[in-house]
Amino acid sequence: MSKHDLVYLTEHASHDAAIEIINEEAFGPGRHTRAAARIREQGPHDRTLSFICADDGETIASVRMTPVLAGGVKGHMLGPLAVRPSHKSMGIGRELVRIAIEAAKRKGSEAVILIGDPPYYMPLGFEKVSYKALDFPGPVDPNRVLVVPLGQDIHARLKGVIGWRQCEAVMAMPDAEEDTYEEPQRVFA
């Protein structure tokens, strides 16, 4: 087994091309037609809450967070989360989710919402949202709508339309030329 030098960093514009390739590998060309993608098309994701994992300088995984208003909840939609096939089953995806949730909590997000596989995400702190509580801009399997509540009465307020919301962090994103990296977290596998 080869040694990996994994570093987790805040996403930067310079990662965009690699992230596009990783998402293409993971989800294929149909990924743009999904309801979650339709929300992401409404406005930019929040780079300050989006992260990548690099192995020896190569971007091999990413997770993005998009600010949303979900019924009465100001939260973030997690995704896409993708890891290169060469690095699957190493815990990288779980670590990216953990980092993103903690960052959202520090920024005052009320919830982290996603459409995903319950057996994968529920052990990471996600709970099912009430059946058909949220109205997505496209078809969604309501059994796959999950949330990590970070505020009060989240489940009671997660009712209604979900869509992109403007927030200060997204509107104040630094120029692509500026370095916005956080202190790297190294993990050796």
Side-chain angles (χ1 to χ4, degrees):
M1 183 170 169
S2 62
K3 182 179 178 182
H4 296 279
D5 184 14
L6 304 177
V7 181
Y8 295 88
L9 302 168
T10 303
E11 181 187 308
H12 185 269
S14 64
H15 299 124
D16 287 349
I19 290 169
E20 183 62 26
I21 292 168
I22 294 166
N23 287 331
E24 171 69 26
E25 286 176 343
F27 304 110
R31 69 191 181 282
H32 298 294
T33 63
R34 297 178 179 179
R38 291 181 183 167
I39 292 171
R40 292 183 199 111
E41 290 170 352
Q42 296 171 5
H45 65 284
D46 185 343
R47 284 194 203 274
T48 68
L49 298 180
S50 300
F51 300 90
I52 64 102
C53 179
D55 185 2
D56 197 27
E58 177 189 359
T59 301
I60 52 92
S62 79
V63 65
R64 286 183 164 166
M65 297 279 270
T66 301
V68 294
L69 182 61
V73 175
K74 291 180 181 177
H76 287 84
M77 177 170 270
L78 186 141
L81 166 68
V83 179
R84 301 287 312 255
S86 59
H87 288 75
K88 289 206 180 269
S89 301
M90 295 174 57
I92 294 167
R94 288 185 299 277
E95 182 64 7
L96 283 169
V97 169
R98 185 195 67 74
I99 292 168
I101 291 170
E102 285 303 313
K105 186 186 291 186
R106 283 192 306 273
K107 286 265 181 128
S109 183
E110 292 185 296
V112 175
I113 302 160
L114 63 78
I115 303 167
D117 188 23
Y120 181 84
Y121 288 102
M122 290 178 81
L124 302 177
F126 285 85
E127 305 167 359
K128 287 191 176 186
V129 172
S130 296
Y131 193 78
K132 293 192 176 187
L134 293 174
D135 182 20
F136 284 84
V140 170
D141 177 351
N143 294 310
R144 295 173 51 85
V145 179
L146 307 173
V147 64
V148 173
L150 301 173
Q152 298 294 320
D153 304 320
I154 298 304
H155 283 281
R157 294 187 291 130
L158 274 177
K159 293 185 182 1
V161 174
I162 182 170
W164 182 82
R165 83 179 153 84
Q166 183 172 323
C167 68
E168 288 180 27
V170 172
M171 302 321 289
M173 285 192 303
D175 295 330
E177 302 301 315
E178 292 182 33
D179 187 359
T180 60
Y181 297 150
E182 290 184 350
E183 184 64 31
Q185 299 178 26
R186 293 197 177 272
V187 177
F188 300 95

